[in-house]
Amino acid sequence: MAAAEGGKIDPMHQFLIEPVGGSHWVVGGYDLSFTNSALWMVVTLVALWLFMLGGMKRELVPGRWQAAVEGFTGFVSSMLTSNVGPAGKRFVPYVFSLFMFILFANILGLLPFGVVPGVHPFTVTSHLTVTGVLAIISFAIVLIVGFGKHGFHFFSLFVPHGTPPLMIPLIFVVELMSFLVRPFSLGLRLFVAMTAGHILLKVLAAFVINGINMGPGYAALITLPSFLLMIGITLLELLVAAIQAYVFALLTSVYLNDAVNLH
Amino acid sequence: MPQISQIAATYASQIFWLLITFGLLYFVVGRGMVPKIVATVDAREARVEGDLAAAEAARLEADRTEEAWRADMDAARTAALAETNAAKAQAAQSAEAQVKAADAELAERLGHHDLAIANAKAEALASLETVAAEAARDLVAKLSGVDVTVDQAAHAVREVRAHG
């Protein structure tokens, strides 16, 4: 491992962004290099595209692959229908793209590509810039749909039904704050969950490696339990990968419901 | 933490490539493929629903046909029964009429025979009286020598017979 310098394993090294091939592309003062992060975005895109391609046979009686793809589209469209109502069908392309991108990025980041020499897996969704942009896109769609559909009446979202007139200014401010916090909580939740899981896995992996290096006694005492724990945590992280993608898509559809139906 | 410490150096590249990949994903997969897959699922559901409705309609039709068949059968059975009864009644009636006719004929013939017998009897009785009168006249003539007429003898015979 590149991070194992002098016997030390840096659990943060996995999050380091560096240009593929080492060349920086600076365009108009901005560094738009094709980094390892961009590479894994492309890998996610291609993997998802290939997965979806298997569902495009459009047979009356679906095969296994087509049934899997239809399961995902059905899952997203039923989530939108149950949260937003019939108007939610409009958002299926966006929420599906969001859900599948996060899900594939999370799972690809967990897969043990590191066993192939020279390949360093990278979790795109463990970066605040990525999750933040996705959260901002979701929030922007909510604002555009909300103001586009209801105009200034959209502000009535911040005054729940049955609020006493005296309380309206205070409630308005509180509701507005909670509304404005949404993109941050949305982006931070995914970023923190993925980062924490990957750090935990890397720390445990360091225990396993260092335990082996320190001799058989330490190996039995440290490596074995750490390795067993790693197996469990890896399974848990696979679950978290799916749950975080679901939470992101679910919250987006809940917010879209506010924008479309105003409570 | 590279996510924070590298943010100033990498945000442009991150956002740029995310917008490219996510944009491609949205337009190619989200807008291009997902509606087709959803349409396939919807078409399948509509097809299944249509097939189920057709099967239900066919079942109802079959029920109706069976009901009509049963009604037809019932009507035919009733008609056959009525016809049988009518034929039976007619047969009984005609048999009765025939028996009656035969009875009448027999009675008529019996009547004729009775009449003939009565005639014969009367004739016989009449001839018996004549014979008796002649015998009585002969007896009287032989015993007393009195010559009585046949009419007187017959009168006497009639008197004897009447007083028994």
Side-chain angles (χ1 to χ4, degrees):
Chain A
M1 277 225 167
E5 291 158 4
K8 280 204 169 177
I9 296 171
D10 177 11
M12 290 302 175
H13 184 264
Q14 58 176 325
F15 301 119
L16 201 66
I17 295 174
E18 43 201 2
V20 175
S23 59
H24 288 269
W25 304 341
V26 180
V27 180
Y30 293 104
D31 186 357
L32 303 182
S33 311
F34 188 73
T35 59
N36 52 349
S37 174
L39 173 68
W40 281 91
M41 291 178 200
V42 172
V43 168
T44 304
L45 173 65
V46 170
L48 183 50
W49 180 70
L50 287 175
F51 174 70
M52 294 299 288
L53 213 56
M56 293 297 287
K57 289 193 219 92
R58 310 190 67 184
E59 282 167 5
L60 185 65
V61 179
R64 282 181 214 178
W65 198 318
Q66 192 186 339
V69 174
E70 284 172 2
F72 277 109
T73 57
F75 172 70
V76 171
S77 79
S78 71
M79 179 169 72
L80 279 165
T81 317
S82 59
N83 280 303
V84 185
K89 290 271 179 211
R90 271 174 62 208
F91 303 108
V92 168
Y94 172 67
V95 177
F96 182 82
S97 305
L98 190 66
F99 174 69
M100 293 305 273
F101 183 78
I102 295 170
L103 181 68
F104 269 58
N106 288 353
I107 288 175
L108 283 173
L110 272 176
L111 294 183
F113 290 118
V115 297
V116 182
V119 177
H120 299 289
F122 184 90
T123 313
V124 176
T125 42
S126 65
H127 275 261
L128 186 55
T129 39
V130 172
T131 61
V133 167
L134 292 177
I136 287 167
I137 294 173
S138 282
F139 192 67
I141 289 175
V142 168
L143 287 181
I144 291 166
V145 170
F147 282 111
K149 194 168 165 140
H150 304 290
F152 282 104
H153 193 63
F154 184 53
F155 284 109
S156 73
L157 181 65
F158 307 129
V159 184
H161 289 299
T163 311
L166 193 67
M167 297 289 282
I168 283 179
L170 182 66
I171 294 288
F172 185 86
V173 171
V174 169
E175 289 278 328
L176 184 64
M177 291 285 276
S178 84
F179 182 77
L180 292 178
V181 161
R182 282 173 178 184
F184 296 97
S185 68
L186 202 56
L188 279 171
R189 185 181 297 112
L190 178 59
F191 152 65
V192 167
M194 297 324 291
T195 303
H198 281 265
I199 290 174
L200 183 57
L201 282 176
K202 197 66 78 175
V203 167
L204 286 172
F207 285 172
V208 172
I209 302 294
N210 289 337
I212 290 172
N213 288 343
M214 284 165 79
Y218 285 103
L221 205 66
I222 298 170
T223 300
L224 202 63
S226 297
F227 190 70
L228 290 176
L229 189 58
M230 254 189 100
I231 294 172
I233 300 277
T234 306
L235 295 176
L236 183 70
E237 282 303 308
L238 281 171
L239 184 68
V240 169
I243 285 176
Q244 287 300 325
Y246 174 62
V247 165
F248 205 109
L250 181 70
L251 286 175
T252 299
S253 48
V254 169
Y255 299 159
L256 281 170
N257 176 47
D258 283 350
V260 172
N261 300 321
L262 284 185
H263 283 301
Chain B
M1 190 177 255
Q3 289 100 317
I4 310 288
S5 58
Q6 277 192 312
I7 202 162
T10 62
Y11 78 95
S13 153
Q14 287 280 77
I15 293 169
F16 176 73
W17 288 105
L18 177 65
L19 289 181
I20 286 183
T21 50
F22 192 72
L24 271 176
L25 177 67
Y26 175 69
F27 285 106
V28 174
V29 173
R31 295 230 119 162
M33 291 166 139
V34 171
K36 285 181 190 155
I37 291 167
V38 171
T40 309
V41 175
D42 288 350
R44 179 183 310 128
E45 270 165 17
R47 172 87 181 264
V48 167
E49 234 160 77
D51 285 0
L52 282 179
E56 179 66 21
R59 197 181 65 77
L60 287 176
E61 180 64 36
D63 280 358
R64 222 172 297 130
T65 309
E66 198 196 338
E67 199 58 45
W69 173 80
R70 194 165 291 149
D72 275 1
M73 285 302 283
D74 283 354
R77 204 169 288 136
T78 317
L81 197 64
E83 218 165 295
T84 313
N85 283 343
K88 229 183 257 176
Q90 206 179 349
Q93 215 170 4
S94 78
E96 208 177 324
Q98 254 170 343
V99 167
K100 239 181 232 171
D103 275 356
E105 203 191 320
L106 277 175
E108 202 187 327
R109 277 165 68 182
L110 272 175
H112 284 308
H113 287 299
D114 281 352
L115 203 63
I117 287 168
N119 286 346
K121 206 174 163 185
E123 227 167 278
L125 274 177
S127 63
L128 184 69
E129 260 172 36
T130 315
V131 169
E134 276 170 11
R137 191 198 58 188
D138 286 351
L139 274 175
V140 168
K142 233 178 233 176
L143 287 175
S144 62
V146 181
D147 218 9
V148 288
T149 62
V150 173
D151 280 347
Q152 281 171 323
H155 185 76
V157 168
R158 261 199 300 272
E159 258 180 13
V160 171
R161 275 187 56 191
H163 295 284

